[in-house]
DNA sequence: AATTCATAAATTGTATACAATAATGTTTAA
DNA sequence: TTAAACATTATTGTATACAATTTATGAATT
């Protein structure tokens, strides 16, 4: 449910970037988007600004915004930061996670298996995100959860930008999620931290990172 | 050097919030600020939006923005996240810090002593920030450095909101910075991480956190 | 043919007008 | 007197007009 025009535009643009409908590095020209979306420049500017803050675009004063073109270095660095915070969250979660949250995690894990068998990629990613966010919140640290959410979103762009065919060929993280769940149930901080670390390592390694040709168009 | 009107307003408002000229919870009314600052609502809206993203204000759709009123819990949580990232940065910096950066750190440390003796609080904070940012960058991870910078800014608001008389009565972190510098020079990851951890712990503890009366005005 | 410069076009930044929503105050009914 | 309904005001959201800046174009120069 969109609050207003700007919010609507924001979601539309974000989706277009994530799905690859707008190519990396493309300039986001306000007037063109305004005409296309049949609104004025005002909500377009707001949406672009928001995308900029969230790392989907870069902005240069008096020049405008472009869709990000993440470098391999930037991707590695972002994954590393995410890994640091999620490891800590997993450790803290062993102390704070509630029985309700644990049972919710269990349902997520079984849903995840189903979505993988059905090759329902969108749904698979959605559940994967839900698992990570649940653990982030179970840490009890709301500020950290917010940062993890932001980092999760950014790494999601990378995943899709650099795995454009989304083959779902990788060995999914189902076993790893199960290990994590076991560690949380056992309330074993070291094991939880380790599981999360390994999991994010393999998520990163599973990405088929390669610099795409300049004129590559995913759709 | 401000890029444009919005940027100017942003810095002005941020300073007013950090210095406590604008009280916690105060509504930021666009028209009023526009009249006061002698510009239109457009750059005001942009500046407010930016402050919102950076956590200096909260926003409610169709209702507008208010200056944050951080709770004790939120302050603790933010310090904790900062501590996690800065510990890691210090550890990584032992591998990547350059001789130039080390010598710069040394000059910062001596300047810091001078500013403390002169009771020049603004300058003292500026150098303290510079030290932390330098180490963040010396980690070699630019993404992490950006997050640390953001967290540094946020904890700075807390410092001033909750230590409004800015008496500089605390035992300054000069010794702790020296320890950190020594660990970096020795390229000892464990020692660097530990020094940073201790340092941020004492910075947090040094804050005289107390919920101020509702109608408190610092200036 | 390449470079420089001036001009024109395109694009972003700001101001202002109007629309939509929220907050406030006033009247009316029970 | 209180509460609901309405009208009024204030404030935010959007559209549009204009200003400032950047980019594109093309002629003049070497």
């Amino acid at each position: 449910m969109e609050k207003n025009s700007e919010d609507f535009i924001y979601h539309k643009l974000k989706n277009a970037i994530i799905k690859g409908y707008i190519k990396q590095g493309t300039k986001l020209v306000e007037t063109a988007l305004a005409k296309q979306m049949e609104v004025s420049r005002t909500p377009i500017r707001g949406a672009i600004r928001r995308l900029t803050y969230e790392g989907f675009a870069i902005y240069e004063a008096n020049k405008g915004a472009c869709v990000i073109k993440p470098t391999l270095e930037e991707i590695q660095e972002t994954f590393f930061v995410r890994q640091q915070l999620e490891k800590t969250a997993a450790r803290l979660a062993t102390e704070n996670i509630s029985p309700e949250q644990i049972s919710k995690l269990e349902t997520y894990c079984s849903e995840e298996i189903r979505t993988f068998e059905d090759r329902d990629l969108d749904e698979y990613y959605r559940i994967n995100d839900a698992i990570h966010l649940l653990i982030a919140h179970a840490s009890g640290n709301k500020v950290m959860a917010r940062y993890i959410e932001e980092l999760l979103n950014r790494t999601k762009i990378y995943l899709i930008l650099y795995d454009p065919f989304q083959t779902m060929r990788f060995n999914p993280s189902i076993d790893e999620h199960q290990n994590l769940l076991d560690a949380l149930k056992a309330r074993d901080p070291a094991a939880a931290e380790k599981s999360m670390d390994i999991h994010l390592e393999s998520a990163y390694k599973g990405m088929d990172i390669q610099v795409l040709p300049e004129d590559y168009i995913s759709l």
Side-chain angles (χ1 to χ4, degrees), chain A:
Chain A
M1 190 58 135
E2 284 90 14
K3 293 179 193 55
N4 51 35
S5 178
E6 178 185 314
D7 202 48
F8 174 73
I9 304 285
Y10 160 77
H11 284 290
K12 201 157 175 171
L13 278 177
K14 181 169 148 187
N15 183 62
I17 292 171
I18 285 181
K19 293 280 173 63
Y21 303 153
I22 304 177
K23 192 173 69 164
Q24 296 181 52
T26 304
K27 183 137 194 265
L28 298 171
V29 178
E30 296 171 6
T31 48
L33 291 170
K35 185 172 277 182
Q36 194 179 327
M37 309 232 187
E38 296 179 306
V39 292
S40 80
R41 280 174 54 210
T42 310
I44 300 281
R45 276 177 76 80
I48 288 178
R49 180 187 287 263
R50 196 170 156 194
L51 291 168
T52 302
Y53 272 107
E54 293 174 3
F56 292 88
I58 54 168
Y59 207 90
E60 225 177 326
N62 291 315
K63 294 193 177 179
C66 293
V67 175
I68 46 155
K69 256 173 125 167
T71 63
L72 180 58
E73 193 187 12
E74 189 184 333
I75 294 173
Q76 287 172 328
E77 290 179 358
T78 309
F79 258 97
F80 180 83
V81 177
R82 185 181 153 193
Q83 206 169 4
Q84 296 307 308
L85 291 186
E86 287 213 58
K87 269 163 66 176
T88 308
R91 178 161 44 80
L92 294 179
T94 57
E95 289 177 24
N96 297 314
I97 195 165
S98 69
E100 292 77 29
Q101 287 175 314
I102 287 181
S103 70
K104 195 149 202 177
L105 262 186
E106 281 171 336
T107 57
Y108 283 151
C109 283
S110 52
E111 281 184 53
E112 190 179 35
I113 295 170
R114 183 183 51 70
T115 60
F116 181 72
E117 285 168 353
D118 294 353
R119 292 292 185 276
D120 185 348
L121 193 81
D122 271 6
E123 198 55 14
Y124 176 77
Y125 278 142
R126 210 184 55 73
I127 290 170
N128 184 66
D129 285 3
I131 290 171
H132 285 267
L133 282 178
L134 191 149
I135 293 169
H137 281 104
S139 73
N141 186 320
K142 295 194 206 75
V143 174
M144 188 156 65
R146 253 213 40 232
Y147 278 102
I148 289 173
E149 185 170 3
E150 192 181 316
L151 287 160
L152 195 68
N153 269 305
R154 294 184 79 161
T155 52
K156 186 155 57 177
I157 323 172
Y158 303 151
L159 264 175
I160 295 170
L161 287 178
Y162 283 91
D163 186 11
F165 300 107
Q166 302 182 21
T167 47
M168 216 175 192
R169 63 186 140 46
F170 52 84
N171 189 317
S173 43
I174 290 164
D175 291 349
E176 291 167 8
H177 281 159
Q178 193 60 50
N179 288 341
L180 191 50
L181 178 55
D182 291 342
L184 289 169
K185 281 205 271 192
R187 309 223 171 239
D188 181 340
E193 182 167 339
K194 182 104 191 175
S195 302
M196 183 62 92
D197 196 31
I198 290 171
H199 171 41
L200 288 177
E201 199 69 35
S202 83
Y204 171 67
K205 295 248 177 74
M207 275 174 65
D208 183 17
I209 291 184
Q210 54 194 331
V211 178
L212 297 171
E214 270 301 308
D215 58 346
Y216 173 83
I217 295 168
S218 81
L219 209 112

